[in-house]
Amino acid sequence: MNETDIHSKLAGAVVSGVGALDESAKDPFVVVDPGSLVPAVTFLKNDADCRMEMLNCVTAVEREDCIEVVYHLSSVTHRHSLTLKTRVERPAGGTHESWIPEVPSVAALYASADWHEREQWDLLGVRFTDHPDHRRILLPEEWIGHPLRKDYVYPHEHGGMPLDLDAVPLYERDEATPSEPAAPRPSGTPLVQPPNPNSDRPDAGGVAPADSDGDLRSIKPGSNDGGGH
Amino acid sequence: MEALEMYTVDPNDDVYTEELKLNLGPQHPSTHGVLRVELKVDGEIITASRCDIGYLHRCAEKIGENVTYLQFTPYTDRMDYLASMNNNLAWSLTVEKLLGVEAPERAQWIRVIVAELNRIASHLIAFGTYGIDIGANTPFFYAFRERESIMALLERPSGARMLYNYVHPGGVAHDIEDGWLEDVLAFCDEFEMRWKEYNTLLSHNAIFIGRTANIGVIPKDMALDYGLTGPVLRASGVSWDLRRDVPYLAPYDDLEFDVPVGEGTHGTLGDCWDRYWVRMREMMESIRIIRQACPRVPAGPFMDKAMNRMYKTPLKPEPGEAYMRCENPRGELGFYVVAEGGTSPIRCRTRAPSFCNLSVLDALLPGTMIADGVAIIGSLDIVLGEVDR
Amino acid sequence: MGVLNNSLPDIGPVRAVDSAIGWGRKSSIWPMTFGIACCAIEMMAVYAATFDLDRFGAGVPRATPRQSDLIIVPGTVNAKMAVRVKRLYDQMSEPRYVIAMGACVCGGGPYVKWGYNTVKGVHKIIPVDIFVPGCPPRPEALMDGILKLREKVGRNQVFARQAQTAADMDGRYAAAK
Ligand code: SF4
């Protein structure tokens, strides 16, 4: 069957909420309402002519006015595939970060949806209702924000680990001020090079080269000596 | 769970077992990278498991939204770093689909050859490291010897040892030199001999079979439900190969090759040994493909003329979207790109085969021994760079 | 060697003992089995037959940080992994050495600009002895890094007194003048 046949079957079976097939697209797709998503996917999976055994991919896409969740389904038996989309409109005046759209989960139908949906929640902040295990998957559980949103602000530090290019290395920081103030970072902060105490160490008894004076001073007592004793 | 019942002791007895939480990874020699699995074990038996991934999350999708289409090619290298050519190929085909162009014929045949060479290299690593997981160190050294030959071959057209950045949208980055194809064919002859050696080393070894047969059985329905692809799916008896079923490169239609599927030779269909054996046979199929393809590489341009301008001005596809999938050594690699007219896409999604293949682990581990868990993880042949991206 | 560490005068016989110890140490560096990303595959290639790191006495990777002297950090370290890398380093016993392998751990590499959760160089987390740049570095480059590390290990002073702090060094510098 091609996409047109599948679409007509689907539109006949699921009473409402199945949009027209967009045939002009490179991969023809069907838009369904979030409310009819689960019945539509159930039909596509169980119908003998469709038999979409495999859910290849779940993708959330942030667009200007909506967030779109795209399902790529394919059938190994019949060797056809279909793209299914569902859209959640952005509420008027809704800011990006605080707006969490909700879409029903299909994890009960496809085990593969479990991890894919968790990933979309993690990276794009789409909540899948009735998901069995709705946690972040790639980023640490305490991460703030959803990085694939267009207005995501990059963090300077996470869990005590510096993420900036010009951050001061952990072992260089003063004990009194364990963590650097994260934001705002003054522009033009010099890039701090990691000192390497051992390699700069002059031979014992030898004469330190005169021009390395400044380097020697930069080694703080108590900073980690790479080894040797 | 049978094993568990066998070992469970009467609670009224004064010998009893207690549940223990065990952390496997992220630094563990047999997790193939930085996978972490939280296990609950009762003695030697795993009762529950939970995968924790993300230790190699490198923001590839965010990068894809910020760099141009051509600039993203090297980042695809770094997803599945054992099969860079195949990743480059999948990305290039996605961009080509978005633009509606097709690579010249010579480029297509070169692509087939480099992709199949890389498939062998990738399966060699799977073979070598699987031996280490099971406790046989020797195969690793043999596998790397042949892998080095492939590296040397692929280095000649691409200039890089591992992350090639060779297949570009519209063709390949450089033409192959004279004599390269002959050397590839010579390698094929040599490899055939070596392959027999591997089988005496590992495949038919009684201990190896004992460690892998009937372990980690994935039935057909479960495999489809979890969206497994590649050798893991085929080992469960599903004959599904995108090269044959959804041909994405024209030459694959003209080439003759079999799709090995699991047969349950040493036990149940879909066990670890089947997955291993499907990979081994796939190497030989790749050799077959390369042998047929080498004499047929036509003369002509290796890069689309019109696409050459992308090296100066970034590509700007029309608004639209494309989902393209390719058969990678690990399964179906899909790229879903949404363009809105700019020089970079607004969404660049990767459907990574390892990601899906790994998701079945939590269902496989409960009820097995810890040592078998290692055998199961190894047999899935995951690459964490691709799981986390 | 506890209390005797760097406590003896810096004279010929003591230095001879030191260099003997240094020779022993540098000839049997035990790296840790630790792979993160793409660079780890090149590191494996260095251990394997073609390049054979065992020629330099560093070819026996240990599975635990407590038995190893060297941690090669091969691959991108992100926020989640950085905590682990630091813990692994803390678990190693002195003397311990760090090789940063690859552009990612030398300063962010390809992920420096848009990587929202990558650490831009492992030297932000743990002190690094040798940087081996490249993406990935060729096996020869890593081997060169290990040879450089051998030199450095051989130079270390165990018993002989050495300048440890900036103040000591300043004193010595002034005396030399
Ligand atoms: S430096 Fe390059 S090869 Fe090494 S881990 Fe980073 S991206 Fe991978």
Side-chain angles (χ1 to χ4, degrees):
Chain A
M1 288 208 294
N2 61 17
E3 280 93 350
T4 327
D5 300 337
I6 302 173
H7 173 250
S8 50
K9 279 209 90 170
L10 176 67
V14 180
V15 191
S16 66
V18 178
L21 182 74
D22 186 341
E23 299 204 47
S24 62
K26 298 221 164 52
D27 302 302
F29 61 84
V30 186
V31 181
V32 298
D33 286 347
S36 351
L37 179 71
V38 174
V41 175
T42 315
F43 172 78
L44 287 172
K45 187 184 179 192
N46 297 331
D47 183 70
D49 289 335
C50 298
R51 273 254 164 272
M52 301 286 188
E53 293 121 329
M54 212 193 271
L55 174 67
N56 294 74
C57 191
V58 178
T59 314
V61 184
E62 189 191 9
R63 295 198 187 253
E64 273 299 298
D65 52 343
C66 63
I67 276 194
E68 216 172 59
V69 183
V70 187
Y71 299 83
H72 288 97
L73 298 156
S74 59
S75 164
V76 169
T77 331
H78 299 305
R79 306 199 170 161
H80 56 220
S81 52
L82 185 74
T83 310
L84 208 64
K85 287 188 181 185
T86 182
R87 291 195 174 126
V88 185
E89 301 293 326
R90 189 190 296 281
T95 55
H96 289 241
E97 267 292 325
S98 59
W99 173 54
I100 301 290
E102 291 195 354
V103 172
S105 163
V106 295
L109 292 164
Y110 293 101
S112 55
D114 183 345
W115 277 28
H116 279 290
E117 289 179 347
R118 275 175 69 189
E119 192 190 329
Q120 297 315 303
W121 156 247
D122 191 358
L123 300 184
L124 256 136
V126 179
R127 189 181 296 284
F128 291 89
T129 47
D130 303 330
H131 189 281
D133 184 17
H134 208 275
R135 289 178 298 132
R136 283 181 185 273
I137 186 164
L138 294 178
L139 294 168
E141 196 52 43
E142 62 279 7
W143 193 269
I144 299 165
H146 302 282
L148 287 191
R149 291 286 185 94
K150 298 289 177 211
D151 55 352
Y152 178 70
V153 186
Y154 281 42
H156 298 279
E157 188 163 296
H158 179 82
M161 296 296 146
L163 300 177
D164 278 338
L165 180 57
D166 47 7
V168 181
L170 289 183
Y171 50 93
E172 286 249 304
R173 297 180 178 181
D174 277 342
E175 287 301 316
T177 51
S179 66
E180 294 293 304
R185 180 168 14 120
S187 61
T189 317
L191 185 71
V192 180
Q193 289 293 348
N196 205 338
N198 279 348
S199 62
D200 288 345
R201 185 177 297 153
D203 276 354
V207 180
D211 59 354
S212 71
D213 195 5
D215 281 347
L216 295 179
R217 280 176 200 284
S218 72
I219 302 171
K220 291 196 195 105
S223 75
N224 198 314
D225 294 22
H229 44 89
Chain B
M1 286 315 223
E2 280 161 37
L4 182 62
E5 277 150 27
M6 202 166 79
Y7 285 96
T8 314
V9 194
D10 181 7
N12 300 324
D13 212 340
D14 51 352
V15 182
Y16 60 95
T17 59
E18 246 179 32
E19 208 169 61
L20 174 80
K21 272 194 185 164
L22 187 71
N23 243 323
L24 194 69
Q27 188 265 331
H28 189 279
S30 61
T31 52
H32 289 228
V34 283
L35 168 68
R36 172 165 167 248
V37 193
E38 291 166 24
L39 299 173
K40 272 190 194 155
V41 291
D42 188 347
E44 272 286 291
I45 315 286
I46 299 169
T47 54
S49 93
R50 202 165 85 164
C51 278
D52 186 9
I53 60 174
Y55 289 94
L56 193 48
H57 179 51
R58 295 192 283 192
C59 333
E61 292 179 4
K62 185 83 177 176
I63 293 170
E65 293 170 15
N66 287 298
V67 298
T68 66
Y69 291 88
L70 180 63
Q71 281 172 343
F72 191 61
T73 322
Y75 287 98
T76 62
D77 276 331
R78 284 153 184 79
M79 287 177 187
D80 182 352
Y81 37 77
L82 296 182
S84 308
M85 286 290 187
N86 304 63
N87 287 26
N88 286 175
L89 177 60
W91 173 250
S92 304
L93 288 171
T94 315
V95 178
E96 283 167 17
K97 184 172 178 182
L98 201 60
L99 291 163
V101 297
E102 201 166 292
E105 220 190 324
R106 183 177 173 83
Q108 301 225 6
W109 284 91
I110 296 176
R111 284 173 174 192
V112 168
I113 295 172
V114 293
E116 294 303 325
L117 276 176
N118 210 325
R119 188 185 311 273
I120 299 174
S122 164
H123 283 343
L124 276 174
I125 297 232
F127 155 78
T129 51
Y130 198 40
I132 293 192
D133 290 347
I134 301 294
N137 269 324
T138 322
F140 172 80
F141 294 99
Y142 284 76
F144 263 73
R145 183 185 57 189
E146 265 67 69
R147 187 172 176 270
E148 286 296 334
S149 323
I150 299 180
M151 309 260 94
L153 279 177
L154 291 181
E155 190 178 345
R156 277 163 61 185
S158 67
R161 245 180 72 87
M162 205 176 98
L163 307 176
Y164 306 105
N165 186 15
Y166 177 58
V167 182
H168 282 181
V172 293
H174 312 281
D175 203 357
I176 51 175
E177 58 187 277
D178 297 340
W180 188 74
L181 291 172
E182 284 76 51
D183 291 351
V184 171
L185 285 174
F187 167 77
C188 289
D189 296 339
E190 193 200 314
F191 186 78
E192 206 159 16
M193 269 158 47
R194 304 292 188 201
W195 187 78
K196 295 195 183 109
E197 217 171 79
Y198 301 156
N199 289 341
T200 54
L201 262 175
L202 193 64
S203 310
H204 303 306
N205 181 309
I207 300 172
F208 178 70
I209 293 173
R211 284 288 314 271
T212 52
N214 287 322
I215 305 288
V217 178
I218 307 179
K220 185 181 162 185
D221 290 342
M222 184 182 179
L224 289 169
D225 194 25
Y226 276 90
L228 309 186
T229 43
V232 183
L233 176 67
R234 288 193 281 275
S236 300
V238 185
S239 180
W240 175 251
D241 189 320
L242 295 173
R243 286 176 293 172
R244 185 195 64 196
D245 298 323
V246 192
Y248 47 88
L249 270 182
Y252 279 126
D253 289 338
D254 307 349
L255 295 167
E256 233 177 75
F257 60 97
D258 294 331
V259 177
V261 288
E263 286 153 4
T265 323
H266 290 287
T268 329
L269 179 69
D271 59 5
C272 290
W273 198 85
D274 272 348
R275 290 196 277 280
Y276 165 83
W277 188 236
V278 164
R279 274 186 204 107
M280 294 305 278
R281 283 186 293 163
E282 264 182 25
M283 289 198 231
M284 283 328 276
E285 292 304 324
S286 296
I287 289 286
R288 228 173 113 190
I289 294 178
I290 296 169
R291 283 217 174 112
Q292 294 170 45
C294 278
R296 295 182 60 176
V297 178
F302 58 91
M303 170 64 92
D304 194 286
K305 272 266 160 50
M307 292 289 280
N308 243 332
R309 74 191 153 81
M310 76 182 168
Y311 293 109
K312 290 208 179 90
T313 42
L315 296 171
K316 266 195 189 171
E318 297 288 302
E321 49 195 63
Y323 180 71
M324 187 73 207
R325 43 193 190 157
C326 286
E327 185 70 31
N328 256 34
R330 281 169 192 75
E332 173 190 320
L333 175 72
F335 281 108
Y336 175 62
V337 182
V338 184
E340 276 200 344
T343 55
S344 40
I346 64 158
R347 184 79 168 93
C348 169
R349 169 91 164 111
T350 317
R351 186 259 185 224
S354 299
F355 182 79
C356 299
N357 289 359
L358 182 62
S359 67
V360 79
L361 188 66
D362 283 348
L364 284 185
L365 285 185
T368 58
M369 314 272 265
I370 297 177
D372 292 344
V374 171
I376 293 172
I377 297 174
S379 77
L380 293 177
D381 186 24
I382 46 167
V383 167
L384 263 295
E386 191 182 47
V387 173
D388 298 343
R389 278 153 287 141
Chain C
M1 282 151 229
V3 285
L4 281 184
N5 258 2
N6 299 100
S7 61
L8 300 184
D10 191 3
I11 50 173
V14 178
R15 296 193 74 190
V17 173
D18 275 358
S19 64
I21 294 176
W23 174 81
R25 277 182 177 171
K26 80 172 184 186
S27 309
S28 63
I29 297 175
W30 283 4
M32 180 161 70
T33 317
F34 182 48
I36 304 181
C38 349
C39 282
I41 307 296
E42 285 297 67
M43 189 182 75
M44 277 156 66
V46 174
Y47 290 135
T50 317
F51 294 98
D52 193 10
L53 195 56
D54 227 359
R55 288 178 291 164
F56 309 114
V60 194
R62 314 307 299 181
T64 149
R66 293 189 172 81
Q67 294 174 356
S68 38
D69 320 302
L70 165 66
I71 173 171
I72 303 176
V73 187
T76 328
V77 178
N78 68 12
K80 212 169 169 179
M81 194 65 201
V83 187
R84 308 301 165 128
V85 173
K86 181 152 196 319
R87 186 179 301 170
L88 283 173
Y89 177 76
D90 290 344
Q91 283 175 350
M92 291 167 69
S93 52
E94 294 276 3
R96 53 189 170 183
Y97 304 94
V98 181
I99 291 185
M101 181 185 182
C104 283
V105 279
C106 289
Y111 303 95
V112 72
K113 187 161 182 195
W114 304 109
Y116 44 81
N117 80 335
T118 54
V119 174
K120 316 297 185 292
V122 77
H123 58 260
K124 307 279 186 214
I125 313 290
I126 56 179
V128 175
D129 294 274
I130 308 277
F131 289 90
V132 183
C135 185
R138 294 184 68 91
E140 292 91 340
L142 179 62
M143 273 157 51
D144 187 43
I146 287 176
L147 289 179
K148 289 267 173 350
L149 183 73
R150 277 167 54 94
E151 279 171 27
K152 180 174 173 177
V153 176
R155 273 206 314 265
N156 267 333
Q157 296 169 353
V158 184
F159 294 121
R161 195 172 291 139
Q162 61 178 358
Q164 258 190 341
T165 60
D168 279 354
M169 289 200 181
D170 280 358
R172 178 179 303 190
Y173 181 55
K177 258 188 181 168

